[in-house]
Structures are given as structure tokens and as C-alpha cells.
């Protein structure tokens, strides 16, 4: 199963915070139809009950399209929605604590520096989310890690790496060229007028770019 | 064990949102020394990693004083900190979902109406948090449930009831008189100049008031 994780993380779509959940799920389904391989539920302002409800709907969608489903931050919601994994940031529950509850499910860890990446590897992370690569409206510029750090991390570990943060189609070649195995996007797909076409175009790019040799 | 829950919930202190966690824990320890019987960790703006850290320190303190420890909302944090239970609101993970993860640990459910209380009972709650009884700075006036609803709920169920919301020492007789088995407080203890003395005084009042007959 681990071998497949590189491919399963190639086009990783993270949800946005829009109010209208039906619209969110419609956009996600389009993205899945376009080839999105993994979805992360991330809604920082959402209550637990609603997260479970939305998560179960995303679980259904991702099952239908054969995509992975991750929950950001909350291990309890990941377990209750039968997610494939949880994605944790540096200020969330630690990877070692998450493992106690997650068992064999995947754990992804955000890393913005080589040190954070090495710590995540030794703590048993299954993949790394590396970023922010470019400035985004949702993150501080202080969180920028840049392409050279991405390259350093890719050099240091064979764990699957998903690059995140302001990645547009035009940036995909340099992101993959610096060692990412996949890209995580929010607005490039979710804010596209046609999320399916946006996903198809990103997948087409990813398909022709040589990845790291495994 | 269930028999003891009425007493174990008699003086239930909920944490506040102060920045300084050492100061928070100092106040909690004073409250425990003064006879607080249960502590709930509720920090709506706190990240998961910090919640685990604070929760483990509260677990140590409550163990030392023989008090119960509850975590608000997050089942994952409750499990990782070995809490006695979780306390869930109407918009959090549902009681039935929480039970899947909590097993035999306690689950408390907030109820502001008789209907919510009945639903919580049939969903398997172990105790009810009923309120807000009085206006508080942290809650909307729309959430006020009042003493008559408290009395209706106490009439309808034998589950332990903890009344919450703006309860000061002067209000304890009427709150207990309307059927609460215990009181939950934030500022009456945590904002007191001497949290230990505040707890002692509340315990003294609770000790002389006749409760519901069990
Ligand atoms: Ni470069």
C-alpha cells in the first residue's frame, strides 16, 4: 500500500472555508471527476458536529472516485468519518500522539523547515506536507519555506512529499522539479470556474513531469 | 461508580481563556485545594498540541486531588490526556458518535431545553450540563434557559445535572432548589482573587443545601 501513496498524493485538494457546503461538495466532486487523487477536509472555524457531517459526505465522494480522504488536525473526526488519514500541523496534536489513536491509518505532517521534516520522519509520519512554497492569502509570509527548502527536504527523505501553498499550474514544473511528489492546492481547483477542468489540466502537467526516482 | 457522579460533579470548574497557562493552572490548583470536584478544559482558541499539553497537566492536578477531569468538545484530546470524560455541546460531535470512541468514559452533554435534555438522555449521555442559567459575557442571551427549564429537566430525568452560566455564590440556593445536582462555574472561581476561598465557600453552601433525592 505504501508504494501507492506517492501516486495517491499527486493531486491533493484541500477544502476552502466557503459557507455553502453543498457548493463545496459540488466543486469537490468536479475535482474528483477531473482526477484529483486525495481530498483534505480543513475547516478551521467549523464545529465538530458539522465536520463529521461534511466529512462523511466527502468520504462517500472519495470512495466513489477511488481517492484518499484526509482530515486536518482532528483525529476524532478522522476516526468517526473513516478517513484514510489525518493531516497535522506543527501546533496540532503531535505525530506520536496521533499514532496512538490512528493505528495504521496515514498521518501527514506539515513541515516548513528541514528540521521539522526530519523530526516528522523520526516521529513516524507517512508523508510530508511541505510549504508554504508561495505566498497565499490564508498564510503569513513568515511561513514561506520556498523551493530550496523543498529540495533539501526531498534530498533528505524518501517519504512522499506534497508541496503546498499558492501553487498554480504555471508553477507545477518547478515544484516537481524541486522534489515534490505531489501538489496540494486550494484555490487553484476550488476557486476555478471549472474545478474539473482545472484538475484535468494539473493532472496532465503532473503526468508529463519526471518525478523523483523511487 | 455511577452513584458517585452526583457528588463528583458538585463543584465543577471550567477553565477560562487567559493567555498565561501557568497562572491558569495555579488558579485551578487553588480551586482543587478548596474542594472543586471536577475540572473541564475548555479553550476554544487553542491548538491541539497545546490542548494536549495543558490537559496532561490538569490530569496530574486532578489525580492528585481526586477530582474528575473533562475535556470540552474534542474526543481526541480527551483520549490522549486520559480524561475521565468529554463534554459536548449541541454543535459538537454527537453523543452517539462520541460514544464510539469514548467507550466507558463519561460523556456530558449541554442542554438548553427540555427537548435537548431528553435527546441527550436517549443518546446515552452520562450527565447533563444545563444552561445558561444566567447571562454571561461569553454566551449569547439567546442561549439563556432559565431556572424553570432547569426544573423541568430535573423533573424529567434522574441523570446528574450540572447547572452552568453566570452562577455566583448568591445564586447557588435557587439553582440547587430547582433541581441541579452540581454547579459549573468559570469566573466565580477562576476570576476570584482567591480561587481556593471561592471554592471553599461554594462547597460550604452546597453542603448545607438539600439536593434531589436519589
Ligand atoms: Ni531551485
Amino acid at each position: 500500500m505504501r508504494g501507492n501513496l506517492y501516486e495517491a498524493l499527486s493531486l491533493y485538494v484541500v477544502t476552502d472555508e466557503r459557507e455553502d457546503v453543498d457548493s463545496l461538495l459540488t466543486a469537490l466532486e468536479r475535482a474528483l471527476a477531473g482526477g484529483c487523487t486525495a481530498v483534505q477536509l480543513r475547516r478551521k472555524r467549523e464545529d465538530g458536529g458539522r465536520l463529521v457531517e461534511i466529512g462523511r459526505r466527502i468520504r462517500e465522494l472519495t470512495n466513489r472516485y477511488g481517492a484518499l480522504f484526509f482530515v486536518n488536525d482532528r483525529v476524532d473526526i478522522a476516526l468517526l468519518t473513516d478517513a484514510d488519514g489525518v493531516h497535522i500541523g506543527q501546533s496540532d496534536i503531535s505525530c506520536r500522539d496521533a499514532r496512538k489513536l490512528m493505528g495504521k491509518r496515514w498521518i501527514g505532517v506539515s513541515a516548513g523547515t528541514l528540521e521539522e521534516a526530519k523530526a516528522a520522519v523520526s516521529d513516524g509520519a507517512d508523508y510530508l506536507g511541505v510549504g508554504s512554497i508561495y505566498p497565499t492569502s490564508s498564510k503569513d509570509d513568515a511561513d514561506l519555506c520556498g523551493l530550496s527548502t523543498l529540495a533539501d527536504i526531498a534530498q533528505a527523505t524518501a517519504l512522499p512529499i506534497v508541496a503546498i501553498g499558492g501553487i498554480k499550474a504555471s508553477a507545477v514544473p518547478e515544484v516537481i522539479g524541486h522534489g515534490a511528489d505531489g501538489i496540494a492546492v486550494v484555490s487553484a481547483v476550488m476557486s476555478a470556474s471549472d474545478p474539473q477542468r482545472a484538475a484535468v489540466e494539473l493532472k496532465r502537467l503532473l503526468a508529463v513531469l519526471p518525478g523523483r526516482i523511487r
Side-chain angles (χ1 to χ4, degrees), chain A:
Chain A
M1 175 94 183
R2 174 67 59 88
N4 298 333
L5 196 53
Y6 298 96
E7 272 184 47
L9 297 175
S10 68
L11 180 54
Y12 186 123
V13 172
V14 180
T15 58
D16 58 37
E17 299 272 356
R18 76 182 76 179
E19 290 263 323
D20 182 347
V21 169
D22 286 326
S23 149
L24 180 82
L25 294 166
T26 300
L28 272 183
E29 177 152 22
R30 291 266 175 94
L32 289 161
C36 150
T37 57
V39 174
Q40 180 188 130
L41 171 57
R42 182 175 70 186
R43 308 261 294 177
K44 288 292 187 188
R45 294 183 294 247
E46 202 74 75
D47 288 326
R50 196 104 171 96
L51 284 175
V52 169
E53 185 192 326
I54 301 169
R56 286 181 176 150
R57 292 175 69 183
I58 297 177
R59 175 71 289 180
E60 273 183 39
L61 282 179
T62 48
N63 278 345
R64 203 180 313 151
Y65 287 90
L68 294 184
F69 169 47
F70 294 90
V71 172
N72 187 68
D73 171 26
R74 290 196 57 162
V75 174
D76 46 4
I77 307 292
L79 294 172
L80 288 171
T81 58
D82 192 28
D84 296 293
V86 71
H87 187 90
I88 53 185
Q90 290 289 322
S91 61
D92 294 331
I93 289 176
S94 72
C95 185
R96 287 179 191 274
D97 278 332
R99 183 63 70 196
K100 296 174 192 167
L101 302 177
M102 292 294 286
K104 294 186 171 184
R105 294 174 201 259
W106 306 118
I107 300 177
V109 175
S110 294
T113 67
L114 183 58
E115 290 66 38
E116 289 176 354
K118 286 179 174 170
V121 171
S122 83
D123 288 345
D126 296 301
Y127 76 87
L128 303 175
V130 174
S132 296
I133 307 295
Y134 305 103
T136 72
S137 55
S138 59
K139 291 271 186 177
D140 219 302
D141 276 6
D143 294 328
L144 275 183
C145 97
L147 290 165
S148 65
T149 300
L150 169 61
D152 291 345
I153 293 173
Q155 196 67 38
T157 174
L159 275 194
I161 292 173
V162 183
I164 188 164
I167 300 173
K168 295 173 186 158
S170 57
V172 172
E174 66 181 8
V175 169
I176 299 299
H178 283 79
D181 301 294
I183 57 166
V185 295
V186 187
S187 59
V189 167
M190 296 301 281
S191 304
S193 58
D194 184 344
Q196 179 168 353
R197 203 179 66 187
V200 166
E201 281 175 9
L202 289 168
K203 279 300 287 275
R204 193 178 297 148
L205 266 167
L206 289 163
V208 300
L209 293 165
R212 288 195 289 172
I213 292 154
R214 303 288 164 199

